[in-house]
Amino acid sequence: MGKTSAILYVSLFLIFLMLLSHSPKKPSTHRRLKLRTNFNFNDPHHHHDPIPFDPVVTQMERRLEDRRWEHHYITHSHPDAANDTLSAQAAPGHESQPEWEDFVEAEDYLNDEEKFNVTSRLLQLFPKIDVAPVDGFVTENELTDWNLNQAEKEVMHRTEREMDVHDKNHDGFISFSEYDPPSWAVSSDSSSFAHDMGWWKEEHFNASDADGDGLLNITEFNDFLHTADSKNPELLKWLCKEEVRERDTDKDGKVNFKEFFHGLFDLVRNYDEEAHNTSHSSEDSMEAPAKVLFAQLDKNNDGFLSDEELLPIIEKLHPSEHYYAKQQADYIISQADGDKDGKLSLAEMLENPYVFYSAIFTEEEEEEYDHDEFR
């Protein structure tokens, strides 16, 4: 950003301060920020929490998760690697010690207004989000891109963490023999997700191997672990095959309408309803649109869906990080957009600071805060 952008933000900030000084005073309310430590180590594929809006909060939660990961994954699943890895002060991929590490509890730093002030943080972050174009407003696309960038960094950090453990010869690549499935997948019973879906099989590994060299580099390994975000066409085809295998209750190698309606269509409907903010309809009223979609997908009109025919809806069956980033952006704008123009000014962001930190509040804390506000 150049001189014009700097002048723009200074002007906006001065205008906001002027408006604030002439507005009726509201009682000061401080909401306690609470870090989350609920990453599901037993089945990460069935878990998706919003990534924190603020990179500082993300770093704090990452450090807490790394420590839990060290204890849970290495100590319990790979005791042979515990001595080497636990001798380090942080998990693989750790960063240098930030200021908040001097605090006994990271949350103490997060809730010390002299050290971490949400208004000051938003002032710092606003120009980093308002980039396309730099016009003094944050749009849905800009906020989605910001959220997606934070999420992709977090996903890659987890991949690098796994890479450090499984790359046994430390050559920067993962072979199929080097990768040990997580304990929750190995010990799964016949009714579990891991048993039904071939996540840890060689076919999945080979589909992730985009260059066909028999090894996974960091990008390919990231696709292997986070298939929904992959652009690899072979991996998406593999994902379609796994969907057929999971949903095919009569084991005829394809999906009939009943199997589609009571499994796959529910996921498509949930995706569309959340994307368009609509509510569920009854099962009877949904059978007709289900038949329409089934007919559209059934290209050869044989009354069944093959794995190739599922490809147009695979992103709805396995939503990507972009989907969740947009969902989070939509929520923030719906809560903070006071004039309902579909975008956020700096003033609107500063008037609703805690909306941007909603990912680190529990529902109970939200309700308690709302109750206190209207006493």
Side-chain angles (χ1 to χ4, degrees), residues 8 22 28 32 55 59 98 105 123 138 148 160 185 209 218 239-240 242 249 290 302 342 355:
L8 173 62
H22 290 84
S28 176
R32 183 166 180 84
Q59 187 186 40
E105 296 289 343
L123 284 170
V138 168
L148 180 60
E160 291 171 345
D209 182 16
I218 188 63
L239 197 55
C240 291
E242 290 304 308
T249 56
D302 66 348
V355 170

Side-chain angles (χ1 to χ4, degrees), residues 24-191:
K25 302 298 181 188
K26 295 180 180 180
S28 176
T29 304
H30 176 69
R31 303 176 68 176
R32 183 166 180 84
L33 303 175
K34 185 174 183 180
L35 297 175
R36 302 166 301 175
T37 56
N38 58 349
F39 180 75
N40 189 345
F41 292 92
N42 292 324
D43 190 348
H45 290 283
H46 280 177
H47 172 88
H48 199 287
D49 271 343
I51 294 296
F53 167 83
D54 192 324
V56 171
V57 178
T58 302
Q59 187 186 40
M60 290 180 175
E61 291 196 338
R62 180 184 299 164
R63 189 67 59 85
L64 292 176
E65 181 183 305
D66 281 349
R67 288 170 177 168
R68 288 189 63 221
W69 180 86
E70 275 187 345
H71 177 74
H72 182 279
Y73 192 81
I74 298 180
T75 304
H76 294 121
S77 301
H78 295 272
D80 56 323
N83 291 334
D84 292 336
T85 306
L86 292 180
S87 62
Q89 293 299 311
H94 70 277
E95 295 124 356
S96 59
Q97 299 287 317
E99 179 187 11
W100 52 264
E101 279 286 8
D102 294 334
F103 281 66
V104 176
E105 296 289 343
E107 280 185 18
D108 291 341
Y109 174 89
L110 202 60
N111 289 281
D112 185 328
E113 290 194 68
E114 292 185 2
K115 294 290 186 180
F116 186 90
N117 182 280
V118 293
T119 300
S120 298
R121 289 297 299 159
L122 290 177
L123 284 170
Q124 295 175 45
L125 294 175
F126 187 88
K128 296 181 180 181
I129 305 171
D130 175 27
V131 294
V134 179
D135 60 358
F137 294 95
V138 168
T139 64
E140 177 197 70
N141 287 339
E142 288 173 326
L143 193 52
T144 297
D145 288 345
W146 172 263
N147 292 337
L148 180 60
N149 182 259
Q150 305 308 307
E152 288 176 340
K153 288 179 180 177
E154 186 66 13
V155 166
M156 182 55 72
H157 174 78
R158 290 171 180 168
T159 297
E160 291 171 345
R161 194 172 61 189
E162 294 287 335
M163 188 82 155
D164 286 342
V165 169
H166 296 292
D167 181 16
K168 296 180 176 60
N169 62 1
H170 307 292
D171 64 350
F173 298 92
I174 300 288
S175 66
F176 183 69
S177 61
E178 282 180 312
Y179 188 74
D180 299 321
S183 58
W184 62 266
V186 173
S187 61
S188 60
D189 58 38
S190 60
S191 63

Side-chain angles (χ1 to χ4, degrees), residues 226-242:
H226 309 282
T227 305
D229 292 287
S230 174
K231 304 301 180 185
N232 178 352
E234 293 304 314
L235 198 50
L236 296 179
K237 290 177 184 176
W238 169 83
L239 197 55
C240 291
K241 289 180 181 178
E242 290 304 308

Side-chain angles (χ1 to χ4, degrees), residues 148 152 207-208 210 219-220 222-224 226-237 239 311 314-315 318-323:
L148 180 60
E152 288 176 340
S208 304
T219 301
E220 293 167 335
N222 191 53
D223 284 350
F224 176 80
H226 309 282
T227 305
D229 292 287
S230 174
K231 304 301 180 185
N232 178 352
E234 293 304 314
L235 198 50
L236 296 179
K237 290 177 184 176
L239 197 55
L311 195 55
I314 194 63
E315 67 176 12
H318 295 270
S320 66
E321 289 295 341
H322 183 274
Y323 168 79

